Amino acid sequence: MSDRAGIGYDSHRFEAGRRFVLGGVEVPEAERGLAGHSDADVLTHAIIDALLGAAGLGDIGQHFPDTDERWRDADSIVLLGEVCRFLGEHEWRILHLDATVICETPKLGHLRDEIRRSLAGAIGLQPLEVNVKFTTNEGMGFVGRGEGVAAMAVASVERAD
Ligand code: MG
């Protein structure tokens, strides 16, 4: 049995008039959202890169280039489902995910369970196998100034030798 781990990182800039979507869940009280070619779901993008990294299958930009009109305003949860199918075609089984969202404001912790259920449903895991954490940047850097949001993720996968 081969066990692998992968990391993912993403960041998106805040923009007025956009939706703020995290792990497929829209942040209801957000006054602004995130700019991007797709729905700019920064958490799901970090998770996609962690999964692709664990399986040694490249990165999100290779599979869903932001120059491709097919992915304009794409629902990133649909892209995550595509990536999980792709890993399955390569006989990788997804074991576990852990992620951190770094956002100064608004507070997001009350969405934790809903986001875990959303991601777990898309991946085919149990919510307890998809951990999501939230932190701020203590006022430092682009996150601290409220210019954008960052996310990091780790995924583990296994495959029979
Ligand atoms: Mg992204």
Side-chain angles (χ1 to χ4, degrees):
M1 192 69 76
S2 297
D3 293 289
R4 302 266 182 87
I7 65 166
Y9 170 84
D10 195 25
S11 60
H12 281 264
R13 182 182 294 277
F14 275 122
E15 187 175 287
R18 295 270 305 182
R19 297 187 310 142
F20 186 7
V21 181
L22 279 177
V25 174
E26 186 161 351
V27 179
E29 67 274 32
E31 292 170 3
R32 55 190 181 158
L34 296 175
H37 184 66
S38 67
D39 63 1
D41 184 337
V42 64
L43 171 59
T44 301
H45 292 182
I47 287 170
I48 286 173
D49 260 358
L51 289 167
L52 289 170
L57 293 171
D59 67 26
I60 189 171
Q62 275 181 287
H63 294 277
F64 308 107
D66 64 7
T67 51
D68 191 329
E69 283 303 308
R70 272 184 302 170
W71 314 126
R72 179 173 296 283
D73 296 323
D75 180 344
S76 295
I77 287 291
V78 173
L79 306 186
L80 176 60
E82 290 291 316
V83 166
C84 292
R85 260 191 298 284
F86 187 48
L87 263 65
E89 285 169 13
H90 287 79
E91 297 180 2
W92 289 106
R93 190 170 82 87
I94 300 162
L95 299 176
H96 165 264
L97 282 163
D98 184 30
T100 298
V101 177
I102 310 144
C103 178
E104 208 70 17
T105 183
K107 293 288 179 226
L108 300 163
H110 62 289
L111 298 172
R112 183 189 326 266
D113 290 345
E114 194 179 346
I115 290 172
R116 290 179 79 165
R117 282 197 300 273
S118 167
L119 289 166
I123 297 163
L125 292 174
Q126 297 301 313
L128 284 174
E129 296 163 330
V130 181
N131 197 56
V132 179
K133 309 181 298 297
F134 301 95
T135 191
T136 70
N137 226 15
E138 297 282 334
M140 297 178 287
F142 75 89
V143 170
R145 291 189 296 271
E147 294 170 11
V149 178
M152 300 186 292
V154 173
S156 54
V157 300
E158 69 173 14
R159 181 168 71 179
D161 291 325

